[in-house]
Amino acid sequence: MTEFIKTILEFLSQLGYLGIALGLMIEIIPSEIVLGYGGYMISQGHLNFVGSVIAGTVGGTIAQLFLYWAGYYGGRPFLEKYGKYVLIKKKHIDLAELWFRKYGAGVIFSARFIPVVRHAISIPAGIAKMPVSKFTLYTVTAVLPWTILFLYLGKVLGSNWSHIKEFAQPYVVPTIIAAVVLGAIYFLIKKTKKTTD
């Protein structure tokens, strides 16, 4: 782990629960690392689990709302120009738009667990003017289990929290599969309903 990341995490840790929320909102560091460190802070008795889950869910949701509003008000040209500053490339937007057009609003939940489209999926939702209440509900529903998982793993690992990505692999793959299955079920239900209408 680089000294830059360590410095940022140490700074965020001084802010307590606000630090977890901010770390996820600004997304300079991957959410797994921020939450893993949050879990380590829980194991040291500096934070409690419930407060950390709330902070992580709020921060993760607000981060996605930023991208949603950028898509809603700025559209694709704005994001193609400035997306690189939040590590979102044109190919990410292309893929996210393809998924959103193909699978509809339900993909907001399932895509949260899949690398590459995980962050970019909020953009086409904003561009398509998806109702913000529905977008927020789907986002919170996906962010909550992700937050719980990595906080728990960070707590279990304790001082070895920096190895969280390797340790999380056996948990993340089944989570991705479950999310894809749920997304497929949603898509089939929606398609069936449209056929019968």
Side-chain angles (χ1 to χ4, degrees):
M1 189 172 296
T2 66
E3 284 303 315
F4 171 73
I5 291 177
K6 286 180 182 176
T7 302
I8 295 292
L9 289 173
E10 284 169 9
F11 169 72
L12 293 174
S13 70
Q14 295 171 22
L15 303 176
Y17 301 111
L18 178 61
I20 292 177
L22 280 176
L24 295 172
M25 283 165 59
I26 58 178
E27 293 201 75
I28 295 173
I29 304 169
S31 61
E32 304 94 309
I33 302 293
V34 174
L35 293 170
Y37 191 73
Y40 165 68
M41 295 296 287
I42 293 168
S43 74
Q44 299 300 298
H46 300 303
L47 302 171
N48 71 58
F49 195 81
V50 174
S52 299
V53 168
I54 292 170
T57 303
V58 169
T61 302
I62 290 174
Q64 296 310 312
L65 280 167
F66 285 152
L67 293 174
Y68 169 88
W69 290 120
Y72 193 99
Y73 289 110
R76 188 178 177 111
F78 174 83
L79 286 153
E80 285 184 358
K81 188 174 182 180
Y82 298 106
K84 61 187 176 184
Y85 298 111
V86 286
L87 305 180
I88 292 176
K89 299 175 182 175
K90 182 180 179 294
K91 64 180 180 182
H92 299 152
I93 300 171
D94 290 340
L95 186 57
E97 278 197 323
L98 176 65
W99 280 41
F100 192 82
R101 282 198 306 271
K102 193 171 182 181
Y103 302 113
V107 79
I108 296 298
F109 170 81
S110 56
R112 295 280 172 227
F113 303 94
I114 300 169
V116 181
V117 293
R118 182 161 74 209
H119 301 300
I121 198 63
S122 301
I123 295 167
I127 292 171
K129 305 292 191 284
M130 179 180 176
V132 69
S133 56
K134 184 187 279 190
F135 172 83
T136 304
L137 176 63
Y138 287 169
T139 300
V140 169
T141 306
V143 168
L144 181 60
W146 186 264
T147 300
I148 291 171
L149 172 63
F150 281 95
L151 283 172
Y152 172 74
L153 294 177
K155 180 184 175 186
V156 169
L157 286 169
S159 58
N160 293 314
W161 70 270
S162 59
H163 301 290
I164 195 161
K165 282 198 172 183
E166 306 96 273
F167 191 76
Q169 204 60 38
Y171 300 91
V172 172
V173 172
T175 303
I176 291 172
I177 293 169
V180 170
V181 169
L182 285 170
I185 291 169
Y186 171 88
F187 177 68
L188 287 171
I189 292 170
K190 189 179 176 184
K191 195 174 182 181
T192 304
K193 190 177 177 184
K194 194 178 284 184
T195 307
T196 54
D197 286 345

